[in-house]
Amino acid sequence: AEAAGAVVPRNLAQEGGVEGPPPQTVGQMLAEVVDDSSTTGPHPAAFHHRRAPWQLPWWMCQAATWHLVGMSFFALYIINSMIMTLGLFLRLDVGLPLAVCGLYSSVVFAMSVASKVAFGLALDSPRYGGASSALACVLLLLGTLMVLKVSRTDAGGFTVEPTTDHARLLVFAVVYGLGYGAVYTLVQSKAAKLFGSCPDFCELQGFLAACQYGGGFFGVLLT
């Protein structure tokens, strides 16, 4: 039998002398699957075409791609700058011993590992995936704000400066570690969830990785 032209048998169930639907080839059946409009998002087969050297990749024309670029750049901008300057801040500004500085850093990384595992499972859930994404961003925002202290001046104004309270710094290490792990998992998994089955996904993943490294570099450099 020919693989591409094999004929699907007729529907043998006949009532009242009326035959079943006309026979279909395997190629026609596959075409119906590709053209099925009930699926959400672009079907991977729609991108299976050769690209001329001067043409942009298909993923550069997707709005979701540039959303992922912004997430990748700014998330690592925040994460790397905070992690790299945390030890210097605790040692020079707060005046903590090196052993205590290392303890705070260990708390941040321990919470990030636990958060990566927990949010990795939650982001795969169709029911809790959206809420988990929002919670990850909220945790990172709260963590970055908890290191700041707002004080009232004698003139009636307000000043914002880094906190030196040890209890607050410990809460910061826990919350920021959870937010760090959650957002990092979100950034790494979102592209694969949206475009993982599409061709040239390796190019897209490499481009997003370059944006992440660029965000981390400029975050440390500018802060």
Side-chain angles (χ1 to χ4, degrees):
E2 296 181 0
V7 177
V8 179
R10 294 173 180 268
N11 184 6
L12 299 180
Q14 301 177 355
E15 295 185 15
V18 179
E19 293 185 353
Q24 288 182 306
T25 64
V26 174
Q28 291 173 334
M29 296 180 65
L30 291 177
E32 289 183 0
V33 174
V34 171
D35 295 335
D36 186 11
S37 60
S38 63
T39 57
T40 57
H43 194 279
F47 301 117
H48 279 289
H49 64 277
R50 291 188 177 181
R51 186 176 81 241
W54 59 85
Q55 288 181 325
L56 293 175
W58 62 264
W59 45 266
M60 294 196 74
C61 303
Q62 302 290 320
T65 298
W66 298 104
H67 187 189
L68 292 171
V69 167
M71 288 176 56
S72 301
F73 184 88
F74 289 108
L76 272 295
Y77 181 99
I78 297 170
I79 290 173
N80 277 23
S81 60
M82 291 286 290
I83 290 297
M84 295 298 178
T85 57
L86 178 62
L88 292 175
F89 165 69
L90 294 175
R91 182 72 181 96
L92 301 178
D93 296 341
V94 184
L96 296 177
L98 287 176
V100 180
C101 296
L103 175 63
Y104 279 107
S105 298
S106 299
V107 171
V108 171
F109 283 106
M111 291 297 102
S112 72
V113 171
S115 181
K116 287 174 183 177
V117 175
F119 276 85
L121 296 174
L123 290 172
D124 285 337
S125 171
R127 184 175 180 181
Y128 301 107
S132 301
S133 301
L135 180 59
C137 299
V138 170
L139 284 173
L140 185 63
L141 176 63
L142 290 177
T144 54
L145 292 178
M146 292 191 69
V147 76
L148 301 176
K149 179 180 66 174
V150 180
S151 305
R152 196 176 185 90
T153 62
D154 297 335
F158 295 92
T159 60
V160 180
E161 56 186 2
T163 184
T164 56
D165 183 69
H166 290 210
R168 186 165 180 171
L169 286 172
L170 182 59
V171 176
F172 152 77
V174 173
V175 177
Y176 180 76
L178 292 174
Y180 158 41
V183 169
Y184 190 83
T185 303
L186 175 64
V187 169
Q188 298 294 328
S189 63
K190 202 64 176 178
K193 194 170 185 179
L194 290 175
F195 302 113
S197 58
C198 297
D200 301 330
F201 173 69
C202 56
E203 296 180 5
L204 171 60
Q205 194 76 330
F207 182 71
L208 294 177
C211 294
Q212 293 172 20
Y213 284 114
F217 172 77
F218 285 107
V220 176
L221 179 66
L222 298 178
T223 56

